[in-house]
Amino acid sequence: MLRVATVHCIPYHAAVCTRTVLPSVARRTFASSVQRLNILTGTKATEPGKTGVEGPHKRDKAPPPPTKEEDSTGVPSTIKGDWVLFHPVYTPEELRSVDILHREANTWSDKIAYNFVRVLRWGFDVASGYKHKPLPPNYANMTLDELKKDGYIMDERQWLRRFLFLESIAGVPGMVAATLRHLRSLRLLRRDSGWIHTLLEEAENERMHLMTFLALRKPGLIFRAMLIGAQGVFYNTFFLCYMLSPRTCHRFVGHLEEEAVITYTRCIQELEAGRLPEWANYPAPEIAKDYWRLEPNAKLLDVIYAVRSDESTHRFVNHSLANLKSNDINPFALREPDMTVKGKKIAFDREEAKKYAEESHRILDEREGP
């Protein structure tokens, strides 16, 4: 899918393309088709990356020279990382521009979606052991052990279990929706109005959240069995529901992402308040540094800020898509607002989405010239 950008392809030995993106366009990194073809021969995702392996960035100086690892065609024999789709790279200001927002359910469809999220949230809480009671008035005089014992706060292991369970499920809706729209496009022999790429990007992004947290801890057999069962039920349920009402499903995901933003915001507050001491100076996993282009000395707190911003993007996008008809143009096919919009506004209504899409095409026409 063409993005609002000027594309400059450089020699294949770099295996990337650079883009000059408009100031109002969200910054995204991406891998080329060369990387996609060679992804099965890549190294582990947790290995540190080098400059340019996952796409251009403002800190990249120049494409790296060919190495001994490259074959006669100039294509690298190893690819570090396994993400291949567009994804945002945030500024420090954007990371802190996320508010907790909620869209009121107005129609019966909205109410069904919201109530289903409440039921699913309860199930998530039970399965992951999540709890978040309001702190007592005298919490300042209580030790961390006392707060944990009385159920006021969770420890690092409990938070991580919550993240792993949440992200293993969150990667399902985008893939299901993209699959069904892809098949619909094939059946009807017509284009998809730009929805498929955005949905695939969402699924990939959620999967990368899971890969990042897996770098901290590998779950045991019981937890893995729970994930298999939950994914099997959720995938098939969502598949059937999306065939019946895509709008309701996107509204459901929008509300689910509202809960995700709340979860990560609470974790950030606990970290910054010093109630998660093991994570206070915990270094960011290498996979996260490469994926979000974090600084070499980035901490886990920086990763959680980035994940929260991603969830805010999914909240905004899905609530916006739920406001559209299935044949409407996806307003995010060419560009996305930055976090000062996505983090502060719950969604575009249908008219706003139409104007945003028209503006994107106008900008693209101006960039291409006569």
Side-chain angles (χ1 to χ4, degrees), residues 21-123:
V21 185
L22 297 177
S24 62
V25 180
R27 289 161 300 285
R28 293 167 177 253
T29 63
F30 65 101
S32 72
S33 58
V34 176
Q35 288 172 303
R36 294 184 178 94
L37 291 173
N38 288 273
I39 199 66
L40 293 178
T41 63
T43 56
K44 294 181 179 179
T46 52
E47 291 187 14
K50 60 184 179 181
T51 301
V53 295
E54 297 304 336
H57 186 259
K58 61 185 178 182
R59 294 197 297 272
D60 292 350
K61 303 287 185 183
T67 66
K68 295 180 180 179
E69 295 180 344
E70 295 174 358
D71 59 25
S72 59
T73 64
V75 179
S77 59
T78 59
I79 299 296
K80 291 176 178 163
D82 60 350
W83 44 94
V84 296
L85 299 179
F86 294 90
H87 63 277
V89 175
Y90 305 103
T91 65
E93 293 75 20
E94 288 180 298
L95 291 174
R96 286 158 177 78
S97 297
V98 176
D99 291 343
I100 293 177
L101 302 174
H102 171 63
R103 183 188 184 279
E104 293 296 330
N106 300 316
T107 66
W108 279 108
S109 173
D110 292 350
K111 292 176 181 178
I112 290 173
Y114 179 61
N115 286 318
F116 190 51
V117 167
R118 289 170 63 92
V119 172
L120 193 64
R121 169 65 190 264
W122 174 83

Side-chain angles (χ1 to χ4, degrees), residues 176-197:
V176 171
T179 298
L180 286 172
R181 292 193 68 97
H182 172 77
L183 295 175
R184 179 173 178 266
S185 176
L186 297 179
R187 287 195 309 273
L188 301 181
L189 306 178
R190 69 186 187 198
R191 299 183 66 178
D192 183 63
S193 302
W195 288 54
I196 294 174
H197 261 213

Side-chain angles (χ1 to χ4, degrees), residues 311-323:
E311 305 296 6
S312 178
T313 294
H314 304 324
R315 178 185 68 186
F316 179 84
V317 167
N318 278 279
H319 274 313
S320 297
L321 294 179
N323 292 335

